[in-house]
Every structure is written in C-alpha cells, then in structure tokens.
C-alpha cells in the first residue's frame, strides 16, 4: 500500500477526482440510455471505449510517455475486458430493459463486492459484523427495488435478465478493479486507462459481432440525439470518468474509490426524472435509502481499517 501512495496527491486533486466520478458517472447512465436508442449496446460500448482509449494513447505517445511492456499490455488488456465487457457492457445491455435511474440504484450495491473481493484477495481481512449488516441491507434494498415477483418499480414489470446483467456487472467491475490494483508491474495510471479502454473496446466489439449486432446496422440510422450522447460518453464518460477512476484506484483504497456508487444513483435518478420523465415513487426512494445505508456502512467500516494500514505504512 505504501508503494501505491508514496507520492500523495494534493487534497485539491483528490476532491476534484471524486467530484468527477460522482457527477460524470451519475450522468453516464442517462447517456447510455439515450445512445442505445438507435445504437446496438455492445457496438456502442466498443466504439466508446475503443475511440477514447486510442485518443488517450495517442496523446500519451505524443508526450513521450513510456510505453507498456508486452506483459503490461496483456495484463491491462485483460483488465479492460473484464471491467468494460463484463461490467459496462452488461449495464449498457440492461438499459434496454431497465430505467437508467433504477440501473444506477442496482449498481449501488457494487461496493459490497469491492469489500468481499478485497477480503478474499491474498492478505485480505475479514469484514466486521457491521459490514455483514451492511451486506444484508444492500441486498435487501436491491431485492425490494427490483422485486421481479411483483409488478416492479412504477407499476411496470422488471426484466429479470436485465436485473441479472446488472448484478453480474456489480461483480465483474470490482474484480477487475482490484486485480488491476494488485498488479506486480503496473504502468502509470493514465497509460493503464488507455490500454484498458482499448482492451474493453476490442472485447465489446467481439461480443457485438457474436451477438449479431453488426447485421443490418447502418450509421445513417443513428439519430442526432444518440450521436450527441455517444460523443459525451467518449469525451466525458470515458476519457474523464474512467481515467479518473483508474487514477483513484492507484491513490486510495478500493472501498473509498467505490463510494461513487452511492452518489451516482442520486444524480442518475434526478436526470432520469428531469430529462426522460422516468417515474420515481415512494418505493424507489425508500429502496434507494436502504441500499445506500448498507453500502455506506460497509465501505465506511472497511475504509477506516484500510486507512489505519496506510498511515502505518507511510
């Protein structure tokens, strides 16, 4: 941990980074929802991350940044595939069936998996009793929110496949993030971000091809509204948001970095209500409160224990 935090960033840099992922990623649920109105979800993701990764890599090369070794390429391409195909790709697909605000609320349980995967990693610590209470709250809130055995949120049936895809994303994204944090021979954060986005773009392109998305797809069929959302996802959601998250994973604990998950839902629900006229009722609000209470409890417990370790090592 001391090696990761050896050059401690300024408080201004940390606050700016957290603000970026809180606000930017809260808005990307809406951006993906709009982009896939006329774009296939996996193909959209392939273009989004492939373009963003290529742009960032070109910029780094122009500034004479050190290029990754072959092993570093392989490791970071693999991380990108796990995080962006298994994580972001599943979220984009689920948005065909689940409202963007609700998707963000389900994703709010992902810090639970950050804690569990971090615990299971070699040298990890057993979560406290309060952490297990938080786990129960998080899962209970997610189940109450989606409730596939009832009519679901807002009187509309919830697509079980969309729900399962979101839960899968909640597992794969933290796994890839923590694996990347523990690489023995890491590259600089922004180079890691570029290579991981390229890996995610390539992986999503393969999935898109296997899913038959390329058949019958024409660029002329993409609306101006979707192109606008796609451009936002490339330039802001990926170049700014994803790169900032990779940087944070190098400079803080996984539990703290994962706190984006309980600010994003507030942003996403507000934007979904404001722009897409998505329904928000008392059930949504109370479910969100339970999920966020559980996640805050988990990450605050884990975060305090990890902070103690950081202070001793530095």
């Amino acid at each position: 941990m001391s090696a990761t935090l050896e050059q401690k960033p300024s408080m201004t840099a940390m606050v700016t980074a957290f603000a970026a992922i809180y606000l930017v990623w809260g808005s990307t649920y809406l951006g993906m929802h709009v982009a896939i109105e006329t774009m296939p979800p996996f193909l959209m993701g392939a273009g989004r991350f492939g373009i963003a990764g290529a742009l960032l890599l070109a910029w780094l090369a122009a500034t004479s940044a050190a290029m990754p070794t072959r092993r570093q390429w392989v490791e970071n391409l693999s991380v990108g595939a796990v995080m962006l195909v298994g994580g972001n790709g599943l979220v984009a697909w689920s948005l065909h069936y689940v409202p963007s605000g609700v998707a963000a609320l389900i994703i709010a349980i992902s810090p639970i998996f950050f804690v569990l995967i971090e615990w299971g990693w070699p040298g990890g610590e057993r979560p406290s009793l309060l952490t297990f209470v938080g786990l129960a709250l998080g899962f209970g809130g997610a189940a109450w929110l989606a409730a596939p055995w009832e009519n679901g949120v807002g009187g509309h049936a919830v697509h079980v496949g969309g729900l399962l895809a979101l839960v899968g994303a909640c597992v794969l994204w933290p796994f890839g993030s923590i694996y990347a944090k523990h690489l023995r021979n890491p590259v600089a954060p922004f180079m890691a971000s570029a290579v991981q986005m390229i890996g995610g773009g390539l992986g999503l392109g393969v999935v898109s091809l296997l899913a038959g998305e390329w058949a019958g797809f024409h660029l002329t069929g993409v609306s101006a509204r979707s192109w606008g959302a796609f451009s936002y996802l490339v330039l802001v959601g990926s170049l700014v948001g994803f790169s900032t998250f990779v940087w944070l994973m190098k400079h803080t604990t996984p539990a703290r970095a994962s706190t984006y998950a309980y600010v994003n839902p507030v942003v996403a629900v507000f934007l979904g209500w404001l722009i897409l006229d998505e329904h928000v009722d008392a059930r949504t609000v109370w479910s969100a409160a339970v999920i966020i209470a559980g996640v805050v409890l988990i990450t605050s417990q884990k975060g305090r224990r990890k902070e103690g370790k950081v202070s001793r090592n530095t």
Side-chain angles (χ1 to χ4, degrees):
M1 185 67 70
S2 59
T4 304
L5 301 176
E6 188 174 354
Q7 296 181 338
K8 186 176 181 180
S10 67
M11 178 62 71
T12 300
M14 293 297 289
V15 170
T16 301
F18 275 106
I21 61 170
Y22 287 166
L23 299 176
V24 168
W25 276 359
S27 67
T28 56
Y29 291 95
L30 175 62
M32 286 190 289
H33 185 97
V34 174
I36 64 174
E37 286 176 348
T38 55
M39 290 182 176
F42 294 118
L43 185 57
M44 182 278 294
R48 169 191 174 182
F49 290 108
I51 292 171
L55 288 174
L56 183 55
L57 183 64
W59 179 78
L60 290 170
T63 59
S64 302
M67 291 293 108
T69 64
R70 179 181 298 181
R71 178 175 179 177
Q72 289 171 330
W73 268 102
V74 171
E75 289 177 337
N76 284 279
L77 287 172
S78 300
V79 167
V82 171
M83 292 179 65
L84 299 176
V85 178
N88 192 273
L90 289 175
V91 172
W93 178 83
S94 74
L95 288 174
H96 271 304
Y97 310 101
V98 179
S100 60
V102 173
L105 292 169
I106 296 294
I107 294 298
I109 68 172
S110 61
I112 294 171
F113 296 101
F114 269 93
V115 170
L116 290 177
I117 294 170
E118 187 182 2
W119 173 33
W121 217 264
E125 297 181 50
R126 178 184 174 86
S128 67
L129 176 60
L130 287 177
T131 298
F132 285 111
V133 173
L135 287 173
L137 285 173
F139 279 113
W144 185 23
L145 175 68
W149 57 87
E150 295 181 7
N151 288 328
V153 178
H156 299 285
V158 173
H159 190 277
V160 177
L163 172 63
L164 293 177
L166 288 168
V167 174
C170 287
V171 176
L172 293 171
W173 180 273
F175 179 83
S177 301
I178 293 173
Y179 174 73
K181 186 178 181 70
H182 289 279
L183 290 176
R184 293 186 177 181
N185 188 26
V187 294
F190 290 113
M191 182 61 73
S193 175
V195 177
Q196 288 169 19
M197 285 193 288
I198 291 172
L202 292 172
L204 286 164
V206 172
V207 173
S208 175
L209 181 62
L210 295 175
E213 289 185 344
W214 294 18
F217 173 72
H218 301 286
L219 292 176
T220 55
V222 179
S223 68
R225 173 181 160 102
S226 289
W227 276 125
F230 177 79
S231 299
Y232 177 81
L233 290 171
V234 171
L235 298 175
V236 181
S238 297
L239 280 176
V240 176
F242 185 74
S243 297
T244 300
F245 177 76
V246 172
W247 182 86
L248 276 172
M249 285 295 292
K250 298 290 184 181
H251 293 288
T252 189
T253 63
R256 286 187 180 273
S258 71
T259 56
Y260 70 86
Y262 40 84
V263 178
N264 289 171
V266 178
V267 176
V269 168
F270 174 75
L271 291 176
W273 166 77
L274 180 67
I275 298 174
L276 298 181
D277 197 30
E278 292 183 349
H279 183 69
V280 174
D281 59 10
R283 176 176 180 156
T284 305
V285 173
W286 283 108
S287 298
V290 173
I291 292 172
I292 292 172
V295 171
V296 170
L297 185 59
I298 292 166
T299 53
S300 64
Q301 290 295 308
K302 192 67 174 178
R304 284 198 294 269
R305 293 166 73 181
K306 284 293 184 183
E307 273 307 302
K309 282 190 167 185
V310 172
S311 63
R312 288 194 295 272
N313 290 336
T314 54

